Amino acid sequence: MNGEVIFCPKWHRAFWFLLFAVPCFLHAGEAEITCRSCQPGSKWRGKELLLKFHTSESATGFRGQVFGNSERRFGAASAETPRLSCAVGSAECARARVEYPETSLKRNTRDLRAKGELGQSEFTQMKVSNVSTSGQKKNGRVEGVRRRARRNSHGDKLGSPRSAQNQDRGEATGTVAGRRVTRSELRWSGEERRAAGPRQEELKLNSSTFALTGDSSHNQAMVHWSGQNSSVILMLTKLFDFNLNSVTESSLWRSTDYGATYQKLNDKVGAKTILSYLYVSPNNKRKIMLLTDPEVESSLLISSDEGATYQKYRLNFYILSLLFHPEQEDWILAYSHDQKLYSSVEFGRRWQLVHERVAPNRFYWSKMGLDKEPGLIHLETSITEGQALYVTCKLQNCTDANKGKPFPGYIDPNSLVVQDEYVFVQVSAGGRPIYYVSAKRDVFTPMKLPKYTLPKDLHVISTDENRVVAAVREWNQNETYNLYVSDTSGVYYTLALENVVSSMGPEGNVMVDLYEVAGIKGMFLANKRTDNQVKTYITYNRGRDWRLLQAPSKDLRGNSIHCVLPYCSLHLHLHVSANPYTSGNIASRDSAPGIIVASGSIGAELTTSNVSVFITSDAGNTWRQIFDEEYAVLYLDQGGALVAIRHTPLPIRHLWLSFDEGRQWNKYSFTNTPLFVDGVLGEPGEETLIMTIFGHVSHRSEWQLVKIDFRSIFNRRCIEADYQTWHLHNQGEPCLMGVKRIYRKLKPTSRCVMGKTYSVTMTSAPCDCTEADFECDYGFERRTDGKCTPAFWFHPSSMSRSCTTGMTFLNSTGYRKVVSNNCTAGVSAEYTARRQQCPIQAPKGLHLVTSEGSLTAVLGTNVTFLVFLEEGDGARTSITLDFGDGHALTYSNVSSIEDGIKHIYKAVGIYRVTATGENSLGSETAMLYLHVTCQLEYIHLSAPFVAVRNKEVNLTAVLWPSQVGTVTYIWWIGNNTEQPVITLEGSVAYTFSREGINTVTVQVSAGNTILQDRKTIAVHEYFRSHLLAFSSNLDEHNPDIAEWRLDVSRVIKNSLIQATGVREDQLLVTVLPGLPTAAEFFLLPDKQITEGKPEKSSAHLDQLSELLLSALNQNLVQFTLRPGVQVTVYAAHLSAAPLVDTSENHSGSAMLMLLSVVVVGLAVFVIYKFKRKIPGLNVYAQMQNEKEQEMSPANPTVATPSSQQDLVHSLEILDTEFNSRPIGCMKPHVHVKFSTELPTYIV
């Protein structure tokens, strides 16, 4: 049963409570589904309280908060709504200790000077994740979340001067941290004076105090109160070192008398054992689990007798979160730090690996009545960075053979939510998210929002009552959300409320200001932004109609309040604001229908100043002001009494009690010594009559636990005469949600104990249906006169698309009854959808997509095509799918292809895929163009290393594999580094107009891969080149790698210079790749000798050429490769490039010959590269999924040599080697060996 916790911020040492009321996590990314629906918590929920203090100097107040079993808050999880819980089995609710640090509210107490109007409070709210649930029914993930508070060892600053002014004289004496408290600061508030009246004997409560001796240094605590008629309380205190980010000390305390006394159990768990977390079985409160700090040891301690004795078990993994089974008390799922999911069917005594690569907080237990097996697990597993799969598997046998894949294809990461009878996933296609829903574990269907909603972000709010409430941030919204409600299938959505306020939580989560009132079905409160003003609205019929709240007619002092609707109304705080000093609280209970306590303000809009506390006893029809400053309010005796504790940083010893629904308050003392109050823990259950106040009497004292027993203030038990009937209404209208409801409530004048046996009694009678009982159906919009008419984009006939000839369908009237509305007769026949015969019609609205929503596919992999038909007789409409590669399939009807059509393409290309739906009345065709690609492994730029000035050369990018699909080439040539040339062809022609060194860079873009290569070209007016051959012994020592060729090129060049006396700057040498070993040398003219004249250059080059050829023919050019290996260099018979003269006297035929020779040279290179058998280089083509070889983008500003002297250094770095790697898109048995380089020339 759920205990009650009050958060008491703004109290002296920044102790604060953060109640982790099953928050939901997952990084709410853009256009991601998030579920923040919070279901009423189950009776098993134990009370855990985590007290913390932090040493930061920030001075932030934290408003006290009220908790209860049926309180529901959307967009705010933790502090305000312990009953807001995730779906059955939801993993979102378990806070990962490492991934999600606790929200901290900090205060420095070294200087207690007043600091202006310090913020009043801050709520912790519901954590939201991508398609995630923030509520959880009958499920144990809540034990993985903790309620925490912190205290600051430096002391506290005053939260507000007003707080000090209202401090009781007896509770703040002398000085506080060196500053004297003035008389004005000790002035009572108005309600204190009225309640106190003339001096009289002080009212006292029955209480006892216990000090946790030896734990004065501990700054965290976790508290569990079993409830269920149990008197056992467990408390784990810890010293958390924020520098080390770990627990360094811990103590375990146990009470068996409702907290009057505690026993320290360190010896029972191990004197040196450091405990970090406490868990309780949701189905058996006697079963306790303690986790040790993994920095010291990884183990857990298990108790089956409410913590009296323990057994220790070692763990081989680090638990981040736990998920208990909703029915089986010993079944647990554990999520580890390395994304592995483990299971235990023995309450943690033994663990078994379920699955690896599981997404955080995306695992769920099955639900009885919906899933086939109780031990079934729903989980999301990560495939790649942008892809995930939704799979189901058995608890003890999660093998590939036993896995189910309910959704065909990949889903977006962190998008799976299993919530009640619904399952949600998200798939992004074309930059837009597509949201899918499955109801009752049926097939997935795209969620139908109004056509032009175009959501940027979507959060599932709730899924109870067989419908979905979703908050959608549309394309034109930035800070607000629109609320949409669905039909029972969860597919069709209509607008409920626009521009609901949202905010970012302390951990980056999105929170929407929507609060469901406990105890009254269909009643919600929401904050809406209108004309840049935030106003609070209320609905009694699940969002069908909304209105403003009528402000109280009188203030706390009895003065009249002039507040006229719609210009002035009451506004309530429902969420955490972006301003850390702004907050509010709100509370309601199932056991106290109609009573709501909330903080807010009166005026034209919701403000953060002049915040008061208000109460309503008639479900929001009228409100009363009960405090004009910050108070925390706790329900006692199932709502029969209320307790209020003032927020103040000063020590107190009084609290306030009301027995008449907040009309009159009496002050009681709960301790003789004023106490800095850190927080309040109430007895689990709605019948709370015992609570414990946590605090301390000085800066460094032990924690004081004050047990208060309220039973002594009641003198009798309630009898029938103490109750009265109360008629629920909305401004006089008794018919709400189609019924008249009459509740049995305690009279405000009765002061008696209702006790644990009390239960809410409600009688109801149906009402005749009116137009107010119906909301607009999908595709219809409400006009200003209240009528629902079709939207401009909607065709009502499309609603019959699932019809089969001979059957009937419900033809919408534009209205649908509000979910859970129980009205009868009246206008029901007029507004209810009418059953009609399914029309016979030709197929219309045929859609063809891939399961991944992509227009690309990888060669050799399965491609799944999905075909949807909007209108037409699906059972009699045949579907033909032509894959565009010569294959086609025909199916007799649409239902036979619900799981998709799979196909494998065997060649790269662009395929036109066509789907045709046809029946006797006509046909419809849908088409898409699918790009089948292969992974680009690497590229090589083929270019001459020496080119003739003003003569066109060919630059070619060689790809491997050669066929990879659609490819874009980006070229940076020469000094033109700012404007690249973009082509779809892998070859370009270019003319260099200047002599010198030019750099060519090419990038190839194929799919998501961009690879690059770069070459340097020496441009000259004239040159001669000759091929070289070698003695056969060189081949025996040629490993055919770039470094070897570079070194041998230098040796050959030095040998030629030594034998002929040619100047070094006139000679270029390169060893060609492949076998047999070959090389080429280039002769460049000396411009000082030739004076740039063609005839002199020609003669000069002829002389040099004859000189070198003579030496080669005489075997004068030799070098020693290694001891005993003498290599002779010969002149080959073929010259790779004749003398070129670009003067006008030369004919065009010579130019054609030059180009022909260049082409032949390139052909020879390709042959060398791809066809020659080269020992020592093993590059095999294999069908493997390897990471693409990505290179850094081109730098278009690379400096290039400007003179012939720079040529040596530039050409030395040209000969680079590609890494050997498996090559995709080829059959496994094909082994290809080839060279990976072009020649490198040495000068």
Side-chain angles (χ1 to χ4, degrees), residues 1009-1041:
T1009 303
I1010 297 180
L1011 300 183
Q1012 164 183 305
D1013 195 12
R1014 179 183 292 118
K1015 288 291 183 291
T1016 300
I1017 300 176
V1019 179
H1020 293 279
E1021 190 81 26
Y1022 309 98
F1023 65 89
R1024 279 190 183 275
S1025 68
H1026 292 275
L1027 289 177
L1028 300 175
F1030 304 91
S1031 54
S1032 59
N1033 59 347
L1034 181 60
D1035 292 344
E1036 300 174 2
H1037 302 278
N1038 183 356
D1040 197 24
I1041 61 174

Side-chain angles (χ1 to χ4, degrees), residues 437-457:
V437 62
S438 167
K440 297 181 179 178
R441 307 302 188 261
D442 204 348
V443 296
F444 280 88
T445 306
M447 296 167 62
K448 292 289 188 179
L449 293 164
K451 187 173 183 179
Y452 296 106
T453 299
L454 305 180
K456 295 190 296 185
D457 193 16

Side-chain angles (χ1 to χ4, degrees), residues 756-952:
K756 301 179 183 297
T757 59
Y758 170 78
S759 61
V760 177
T761 302
M762 189 266 289
T763 59
S764 62
C767 299
D768 290 340
C769 291
T770 65
E771 191 269 344
D773 296 307
F774 294 83
E775 61 190 5
C776 291
D777 204 349
Y778 173 76
F780 292 81
E781 298 173 339
R782 191 174 301 279
R783 299 185 310 192
T784 54
D785 61 0
K787 301 297 183 181
C788 295
T789 57
F792 73 93
W793 49 266
F794 181 66
H795 303 286
S797 61
S798 65
M799 297 299 291
S800 63
R801 63 186 173 280
S802 60
C803 267
T804 301
T805 302
M807 300 182 65
T808 61
F809 76 102
L810 291 175
N811 188 18
S812 176
T813 61
Y815 298 84
R816 66 187 185 195
K817 185 182 288 187
V818 174
V819 174
S820 301
N821 188 295
N822 296 317
C823 70
T824 58
V827 298
S828 179
E830 178 183 350
Y831 286 92
T832 302
R834 301 176 179 86
R835 187 163 295 279
Q836 297 181 0
Q837 288 291 326
C838 291
I840 302 176
Q841 56 183 346
K844 186 177 181 181
L846 189 67
H847 297 275
L848 173 63
V849 297
T850 62
S851 61
E852 300 178 21
S854 173
L855 295 177
T856 64
V858 177
L859 182 69
T861 61
N862 259 320
V863 183
T864 302
F865 296 95
L866 303 177
V867 181
F868 302 100
L869 181 65
E870 287 190 3
E871 300 179 35
D873 188 351
R876 289 177 170 80
T877 299
S878 64
I879 300 294
T880 299
L881 189 61
D882 186 342
F883 300 104
D885 61 349
H887 296 85
L889 294 174
T890 299
Y891 297 85
S892 59
N893 54 62
V894 177
S895 60
S896 61
I897 56 174
E898 288 179 346
D899 294 333
I901 305 171
K902 298 183 183 299
H903 185 67
I904 298 177
Y905 287 91
K906 298 182 179 180
V908 170
I910 303 177
Y911 295 90
R912 182 176 66 181
V913 185
T914 305
T916 302
E918 185 176 8
N919 60 23
S920 59
L921 296 180
S923 63
E924 175 87 352
T925 299
M927 186 183 306
L928 65 81
Y929 291 92
L930 184 70
H931 294 243
V932 177
T933 63
C934 181
Q935 179 65 53
L936 177 62
E937 297 289 338
Y938 59 82
I939 68 171
H940 195 88
L941 176 58
S942 173
F945 280 77
V946 181
V948 180
R949 185 174 69 89
N950 292 328
K951 297 301 179 181
E952 191 176 75

Side-chain angles (χ1 to χ4, degrees), residues 965-1014:
T966 304
V967 177
T968 303
Y969 300 84
I970 307 168
W971 307 82
W972 286 270
I973 303 175
N975 296 323
N976 184 18
T977 59
E978 295 182 358
Q979 297 296 330
V981 178
I982 300 176
T983 67
L984 297 179
E985 298 294 334
S987 181
V988 296
Y990 190 80
T991 301
F992 294 96
S993 60
R994 295 182 180 179
E995 289 188 277
I997 302 300
N998 289 270
T999 300
V1000 178
T1001 301
V1002 62
Q1003 286 186 343
V1004 179
S1005 174
N1008 295 326
T1009 303
I1010 297 180
L1011 300 183
Q1012 164 183 305
D1013 195 12
R1014 179 183 292 118

